Amino acid sequence: MAISRIELGFEERIGLTQANVTVFSSNTNRRHDISILNARPKTKNAPIIVLLHGVYGSHWVWQSLGKADEVYRKQRAEGLSEFVLVMPSDGGVVEGTAYMSLTNGENYERWIVEDVIAATREVVANVTDKSPVYLCGLSMGGFGALRLGCKYANKVAAVSAHSSITRLEDLAHFTDAQKVLYPDFDSEEASILYWAKKHKTMLPPIRLDCGKSDVLFEANLNLVQGFDEADIPHSFDAFDGAHEWSYWQQHLGDSLQFFDQHTLENKNA
């Protein structure tokens, strides 16, 4: 069993129930935390949005710094479909795991695509194996969303990424983490474009955006160029802004709208 010994608590946040979850993962041999917003959905087979954080962060940052509850509540009032927002820790090792397997054998890729989803299904009624899974992330979390969305294309309904790290080398802008931590640092395994090309015929819808003043803007343009040259379907938006929470607060709503569009299309199909 990949997950066990779940500790669970609920709290009310102005009409939205939040679940605070601690779960043991055999994929990492560690305990990890997950915050789940709208943890008592009314929708059958409720779709989930997994929000992946950047370096230094943890499960709480999308809520406290990104104001995810405020953005979601406002858009719900304007007609957004119901979603469950799932905000896991990346694993808490060094300054960021990049949501990958590390040299020590701890697998933070499987923590996200297996354990976080399984834990959400276990603790949230109306989230089932038929619930669509959307991936969204910022910075290192953008890398995680794009790479995992392309690698596990058959498990992901759509991907949206903000201000993304596009290669593990981009981590050097923010951390002193040594490449020796990542056994696949220089391999195709770590490449977003590799997985996009490999699974081209089955990729989920992909969007990404980046601020024009972001240190990662050129890297994002390079990735987009790679998508274009490989005829990988995607959309890209360049906005004013930098690598900062005010930008992500502003544009999280774009991801919610993107996922809502695909939720409605699937309902009408």
Side-chain angles (χ1 to χ4, degrees):
M1 182 178 180
I3 61 170
S4 63
R5 301 195 291 277
I6 293 177
E7 190 76 13
L8 174 66
F10 292 95
E11 61 181 87
E12 297 301 320
R13 301 180 63 89
I14 316 179
L16 291 176
T17 300
Q18 179 168 316
N20 301 305
V21 184
T22 299
V23 58
F24 177 83
S25 165
S26 62
N27 279 317
T28 66
N29 201 35
R30 291 174 181 262
R31 288 175 292 112
H32 303 289
D33 296 321
I34 311 170
S35 294
I36 304 175
L37 186 67
N38 191 31
R40 290 182 174 137
K42 297 178 181 178
T43 301
K44 184 179 180 181
N45 302 322
I48 71 174
I49 301 174
V50 181
L51 295 173
L52 303 180
H53 63 78
V55 296
Y56 317 130
S58 191
H59 65 104
W60 58 271
V61 295
W62 267 111
Q63 179 77 307
S64 294
L65 303 178
K67 309 299 181 186
D69 57 338
E70 295 179 14
V71 175
Y72 174 74
R73 190 183 297 110
K74 180 177 184 295
Q75 292 203 351
R76 276 287 284 163
E78 296 170 351
L80 183 79
S81 299
E82 185 176 39
F83 293 96
V84 177
L85 305 187
V86 181
M87 298 165 281
S89 164
D90 76 310
V93 179
V94 294
E95 294 166 319
T97 64
Y99 306 95
M100 293 188 65
S101 179
L102 301 187
T103 305
N104 62 9
E106 295 171 3
N107 195 320
Y108 294 97
E109 175 175 316
R110 290 185 178 178
W111 156 242
I112 298 298
V113 299
E114 296 177 4
D115 302 342
V116 168
I117 305 305
T120 303
R121 289 172 181 160
E122 184 165 336
V123 304
V124 180
N126 283 343
V127 170
T128 72
D129 58 3
K130 295 182 180 179
S131 294
V133 175
Y134 298 106
L135 294 183
C136 178
L138 63 88
S139 192
M140 181 185 72
F143 173 82
L146 290 166
R147 178 179 168 275
L148 296 178
C150 292
K151 182 174 180 178
Y152 297 91
N154 61 333
K155 295 184 177 182
V156 177
V159 176
S160 183
H162 306 284
S163 314
S164 300
I165 283 175
T166 61
R167 307 171 304 159
L168 287 180
E169 290 93 324
D170 296 338
L171 285 168
H173 289 294
F174 310 105
T175 80
D176 296 322
Q178 301 297 310
K179 63 186 296 184
V180 69
L181 293 170
Y182 308 95
D184 301 312
F185 191 94
D186 294 315
S187 75
E188 291 179 331
E189 176 68 30
S191 169
I192 295 168
L193 195 56
Y194 168 77
W195 290 111
K197 291 177 179 178
K198 184 176 179 67
H199 295 151
K200 182 176 178 179
T201 61
M202 57 187 294
L203 287 176
I206 297 171
R207 77 165 294 278
L208 60 162
D209 63 64
C210 194
K212 297 174 186 177
S213 300
D214 197 308
V215 66
L216 298 175
F217 186 65
E218 291 299 323
N220 275 252
L221 292 181
N222 289 338
L223 178 61
V224 168
Q225 182 179 350
F227 282 161
D228 288 338
E229 292 173 352
D231 293 322
I232 303 298
H234 67 283
S235 63
F236 174 68
D237 291 307
F239 297 115
D240 291 334
H243 205 81
E244 56 194 5
W245 276 106
S246 59
Y247 178 90
W248 302 319
Q249 287 177 24
Q250 181 178 359
H251 293 292
L252 172 59
D254 297 326
S255 290
L256 300 185
Q257 290 296 321
F258 178 69
F259 296 144
D260 191 39
Q261 174 188 341
H262 291 285
T263 297
L264 296 174
E265 288 175 356
N266 289 334
K267 284 181 180 178
N268 297 327

